């Protein structure tokens, strides 16, 4: 324990030095970079150099407020903070000269403030903004606040305290029991009880066992896994070690989709820093427990998110699902017992161990404890990433947090849970955001992506695009998925081209049933979901498309398939 105490003391000394001078935080998550935050950072660096200013410039993750990017957060030594949104390079000189040099915040372009400021010029307090006030932050509590490349900032904010507690104050069985009692369910889509899943691996006596963490994240409209790696990678590293303690695992692997450079670089740096500080490797923090971890990149294949396909990928093979049994807990990567979890699942463990399972179960619902990180995009006023308590309604998120639909248009459709999820209409706005309620409504929560569409959306064309994605991304190993998705796409093309008939609806149902019952993995088993839910909630749109007497064909586009994309 003394080694951890020494780490905390060093971290506080380092952090106090940072707080002794002005600090500029710039959000460089995916949303920030896309909006131009790197250019903003370069502009700040230029002015700091020209004026010879002693200022800490930090690249942090994002607060999740995609609509406000580029977001610049300036904290003065007195603790006051001003947040500037949608900052342009033209604003930088004004902010530097007035706020940093003269101490006069530029309230005309300020987004919000934090701390004890007297003259805020009606600028709202950051914590009181609806998009912040209505969130319950567990996984995102450090987002935007800490430098993800500085382990000291994570430690100062209670980082690795759960690890020290698990190593020096708890037994292995107690660590596992806390996770089991928390009722945490997998955040990758399947929602399987995490404690039970870890128990499968815990029961193995093998000397070499693996905890695998899945950040393949190929869902269009979901970026929350990457956001954790961009904003708070040490939370994942700590959670990974805790999962290893609970199962007596020897090795950990974090899978990240190739090409996501910022999450990859920050995660690799976090692992390197953990090794340098005795938090990974032999005899962690002077204990008897040893654990090694690394990052492995996987190719751009959507089906690589399936757990056994990921194991194939790390072994250098094509990412295709394995036949089960044997299950990963018995025969996983390189034949060693393995356990695969989503990043959000593992990242919950530090808070559960630190605060206890009773605290965690007090959040959310009886069967869906904790929070959900949602990625909102599409026709919505305030797109972004928001963490809400399980049980919050979809209406509350869209209307209260995201400020509704632009241009006073009506909401027509919600596409949830990624391309294998479903679509809901406006009558389902009061559906509770939890695993069971979403499934009952005919959709799935999945990894947390929600795409919002207004009254102008063509439901059938959107459904066709979802099926086209699924068809394109099928690995082709099993024919119910390979042929089923192709057949569904052909039928939807006929419907959009006004060359279909009523019998095609029943044909799609039969194909979907065959896919569900015969496919090897979830890609085929869930592939009919978009059509099934669209038929349930938007049957009138299909009826209208099948009415050839109207003679108003929809626009048919050439969607690439596995057969013709080259």
């Amino acid at each position: 324990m003394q080694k951890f105490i020494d780490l905390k003391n060093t971290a506080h000394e380092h952090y106090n030095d940072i707080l002794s001078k002005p600090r500029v935080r710039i959000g460089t998550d995916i949303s920030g970079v896309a909006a131009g935050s790197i250019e903003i950072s370069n502009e700040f660096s230029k002015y700091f150099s020209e004026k010879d200013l002693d200022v800490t410039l930090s690249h942090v993750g994002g607060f999740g407020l995609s609509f406000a990017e580029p977001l610049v957060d300036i904290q003065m030594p007195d603790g006051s903070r001003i947040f500037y949104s949608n900052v342009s390079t033209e604003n930088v000189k004004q902010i530097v000269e007035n706020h940093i040099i003269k101490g006069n915040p530029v309230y005309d372009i300020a987004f919000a403030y934090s701390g004890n400021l007297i003259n805020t010029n009606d600028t709202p307090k950051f914590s009181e903004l609806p998009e912040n006030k209505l969130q319950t932050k567990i996984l995102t509590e450090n987002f935007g606040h800490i430098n993800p490349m500085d382990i000291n900032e994570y430690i100062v904010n209670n980082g690795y305290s759960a690890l020290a507690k698990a190593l020096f104050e708890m037994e292995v069985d107690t660590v596992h029991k806390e996770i089991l009692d928390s009722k945490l369910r997998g955040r990758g889509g399947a929602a399987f009880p995490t404690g039970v899943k870890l128990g499968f691996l815990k029961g193995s006596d093998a000397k070499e066992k693996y905890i695998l963490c899945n950040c393949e994240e190929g869902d269009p409209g979901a970026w929350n896994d990457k956001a954790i790696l961009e904003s708070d990678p040490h939370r994942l590293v700590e959670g990974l070690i805790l999962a290893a303690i609970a199962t007596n695992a020897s090795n950990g692997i974090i899978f990240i989709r190739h090409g996501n450079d910022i999450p990859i670089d920050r995660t690799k740096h976090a692992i390197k820093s953990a090794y340098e500080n005795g938090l990974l490797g032999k005899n962690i923090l002077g204990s008897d427990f040893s654990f090694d971890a690394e990052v492995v990149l996987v190719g751009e294949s959507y089906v690589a998110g399936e757990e056994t396909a990921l194991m194939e990928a790390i072994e250098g093979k094509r990412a295709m699902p394995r036949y089960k049994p044997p299950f990963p807990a018995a025969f996983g990567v390189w034949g060693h017992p393995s356990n695969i979890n989503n990043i959000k699942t593992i990242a919950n463990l530090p808070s559960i161990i630190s605060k206890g399972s009773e605290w965690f179960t007090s959040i959310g619902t009886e069967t869906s404890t904790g929070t959900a990180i949602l990625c909102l995009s599409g026709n919505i006023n305030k797109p972004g990433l928001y963490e809400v308590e399980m049980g919050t309604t979809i209406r509350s998120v869209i209307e209260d947090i995201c400020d509704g639909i632009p241009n006073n248009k009506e909401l027509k459709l919600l596409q949830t849970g990624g391309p294998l999820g479903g679509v809901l209409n406006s009558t389902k706005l009061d559906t509770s955001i939890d695993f069971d309620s979403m499934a009952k409504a005919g959709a799935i929560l999945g990894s947390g992506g929600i795409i919002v569409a207004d009254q102008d959306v063509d439901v059938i064309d959107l459904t066709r695009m979802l099926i086209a994605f699924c068809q394109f991304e099928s690995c082709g190993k099993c024919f119910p998925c390979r042929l089923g998705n192709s057949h569904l796409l052909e039928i939807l093309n006929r419907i959009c081209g006004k060359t279909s008939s009523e019998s095609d609806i029943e044909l799609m149902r039969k194909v979907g049933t065959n896919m569900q019952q015969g496919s090897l993995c979830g890609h085929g088993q869930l592939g009919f979901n978009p059509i099934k839910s669209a038929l349930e909630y938007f049957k009138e749109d299909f009826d209208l498309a099948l009415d050839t007497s109207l003679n108003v064909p929809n626009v048919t586009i050439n969607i690439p398939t596995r057969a013709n994309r080259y």
Side-chain angles (χ1 to χ4, degrees):
M1 179 63 88
Q2 185 58 47
K3 288 190 175 182
F4 180 66
I5 294 173
D6 293 341
L7 281 179
K8 288 187 71 173
N9 290 336
T10 301
H12 278 282
E13 290 175 8
H14 170 80
Y15 197 59
N16 288 336
D17 181 61
I18 291 175
L19 297 181
S20 67
K21 52 191 175 184
R23 181 182 187 185
V24 176
R25 297 178 178 98
I26 299 178
T28 53
D29 62 350
I30 288 174
S31 296
V33 171
S37 62
I38 300 300
E39 290 78 7
I40 301 299
S41 175
N42 293 338
E43 196 74 7
F44 270 106
S45 294
K46 183 181 77 172
Y47 280 107
F48 294 158
S49 178
E50 288 179 1
K51 302 291 184 180
D52 194 25
L53 298 174
D54 187 13
V55 178
T56 300
L57 178 62
S58 299
H59 283 188
V60 298
F63 286 104
L65 310 178
S66 301
F67 67 93
E69 297 289 357
L71 190 63
V72 175
D73 166 15
I74 296 181
Q75 181 174 349
M76 302 302 283
D78 63 2
S80 63
R81 296 172 73 176
I82 291 286
F83 303 85
Y84 297 100
S85 64
N86 305 122
V87 175
S88 66
T89 52
E90 290 75 23
N91 299 142
V92 174
K93 182 179 179 181
Q94 183 184 14
I95 293 172
V96 172
E97 292 185 348
N98 287 277
H99 191 166
I100 296 177
I101 296 178
K102 298 178 181 178
N104 298 318
V106 188
Y107 288 112
D108 290 345
I109 57 174
F111 175 62
Y113 81 96
S114 177
N116 297 318
L117 288 174
I118 298 174
N119 177 22
T120 60
N121 196 30
D122 296 326
T123 302
K125 198 164 186 176
F126 191 73
S127 60
E128 294 300 316
L129 292 171
E131 51 268 29
N132 281 326
K133 187 177 182 180
L134 299 175
Q135 294 192 61
T136 300
K137 296 190 176 184
I138 298 176
L139 297 177
T140 62
E141 62 180 348
N142 289 331
F143 279 29
H145 296 292
I146 68 171
N147 180 353
M149 300 289 276
D150 189 344
I151 191 172
N152 292 299
E153 294 196 28
Y154 180 68
I155 292 174
V156 164
N157 287 275
N158 206 41
Y160 290 110
S161 293
L163 174 59
K165 179 181 178 180
L167 287 174
F168 301 110
E169 299 176 18
M170 302 172 71
E171 300 293 333
V172 169
D173 289 343
T174 310
V175 174
H176 178 246
K177 189 175 186 302
E178 279 295 295
I179 300 171
L180 195 64
D181 291 347
S182 73
K183 300 181 182 178
L184 174 68
R185 293 169 68 177
R187 268 33 179 186
F192 192 82
T194 305
V196 175
K197 192 172 188 179
L198 291 175
F200 297 154
L201 186 64
K202 181 175 180 286
S204 171
D205 294 328
K207 183 178 180 181
E208 193 170 344
K209 298 192 288 188
Y210 283 78
I211 294 288
L212 311 177
C213 197
N214 184 353
C215 187
E216 195 280 330
E217 195 173 39
D219 284 8
W223 62 94
N224 43 33
D225 290 350
K226 290 185 282 288
I228 291 174
L229 301 184
E230 292 168 328
S231 302
D232 199 8
H234 281 284
R235 175 180 287 273
L236 174 66
V237 174
E238 183 176 11
L240 197 66
I241 305 170
L242 290 170
I245 293 173
T247 58
N248 198 28
S250 58
N251 296 79
I253 298 175
I254 301 171
F255 297 88
I256 309 177
R257 178 180 275 224
H258 174 80
N260 294 303
D261 293 340
I262 296 176
I264 291 168
D265 292 343
R266 291 181 179 176
T267 306
K268 285 183 174 180
H269 188 273
I271 290 176
K272 179 174 179 288
S273 296
Y275 271 110
E276 291 172 349
N277 288 274
L279 296 160
L280 278 173
K282 298 293 183 183
N283 304 117
I284 293 174
L285 292 176
S287 70
D288 294 331
F289 184 73
S290 302
F291 182 70
D292 290 300
E294 62 180 312
V295 170
V296 172
L297 306 186
V298 296
E300 297 179 359
S301 166
Y302 182 69
V303 80
E306 196 275 338
E307 61 178 12
T308 59
L310 271 178
M311 293 190 296
E312 292 288 284
I314 191 176
E315 293 177 5
K317 305 170 188 173
R318 183 178 172 188
M320 301 175 78
R322 297 176 178 176
Y323 293 100
K324 293 183 286 189
F327 293 95
F331 187 92
V333 65
W334 292 304
H336 301 295
S338 305
N339 189 282
I340 303 179
N341 290 280
N342 175 263
I343 277 183
K344 295 183 293 296
T345 310
I346 295 295
N348 265 298
L349 300 188
S351 295
I352 291 172
I353 298 303
S354 177
K355 299 179 181 180
S357 57
E358 187 174 343
W359 163 80
F360 194 77
T361 56
S362 70
I363 303 169
T365 70
E366 177 64 26
T367 58
S368 297
T369 55
T371 60
I373 302 184
L374 306 175
C375 296
L376 275 293
S377 60
N379 303 130
I380 198 159
N381 279 314
K382 293 181 178 179
L385 181 150
Y386 305 98
E387 185 174 9
V388 300
E389 185 172 352
M390 288 282 193
T392 305
T393 65
I394 297 175
R395 182 186 301 278
S396 178
V397 173
I398 290 177
E399 296 181 359
D400 301 331
I401 295 178
C402 298
D403 199 27
I405 313 302
N407 304 316
N408 294 317
K409 292 188 177 182
E410 296 292 325
L411 183 147
K412 182 175 181 179
L413 175 148
L414 299 169
Q415 201 282 314
T416 71
L420 298 176
V423 296
L424 302 174
N425 63 13
S426 58
T427 66
K428 294 298 178 180
L429 278 176
D430 292 312
T431 299
S432 170
I433 296 173
D434 64 73
F435 300 115
D436 304 315
S437 297
M438 294 288 284
K440 185 177 179 181
I444 58 175
L445 180 56
S447 195
I450 298 180
I451 300 174
V452 182
D454 65 23
Q455 62 199 47
D456 298 329
V457 70
D458 184 325
V459 176
I460 301 176
D461 194 50
L462 175 62
T463 306
R464 176 174 57 164
M465 293 300 296
L466 295 172
I467 297 301
F469 177 91
C470 294
Q471 190 273 346
F472 187 86
E473 292 291 346
S474 172
C475 75
K477 183 171 183 176
C478 63
F479 69 86
C481 174
R482 180 179 71 241
L483 300 180
N485 274 307
S486 296
H487 203 172
L488 291 176
L489 183 57
E490 290 172 2
I491 297 170
L492 288 169
N493 272 327
R494 289 203 298 267
I495 294 175
C496 289
K498 291 290 185 176
T499 59
S500 186
S501 64
E502 285 285 351
S503 62
D504 275 335
I505 300 296
E506 184 58 30
L507 180 57
M508 285 196 295
R509 296 187 192 278
K510 290 181 178 179
V511 172
T513 299
N514 290 336
M515 291 171 61
Q516 182 181 20
Q517 295 179 351
S519 294
L520 185 58
C521 79
H523 191 84
Q525 294 163 5
L526 302 175
F528 184 61
N529 274 1
I531 299 176
K532 180 181 178 182
S533 55
L535 287 171
E536 179 179 354
Y537 293 112
F538 299 99
K539 183 62 165 58
E540 64 278 7
D541 290 70
F542 283 88
D543 291 339
L544 189 63
L546 291 170
D547 189 353
T548 56
S549 65
L550 295 177
N551 197 29
V552 185
N554 294 343
V555 177
T556 301
I557 60 175
N558 180 28
I559 301 174
T561 66
R562 286 284 182 187
N564 67 16
R565 64 175 173 159
Y566 298 115

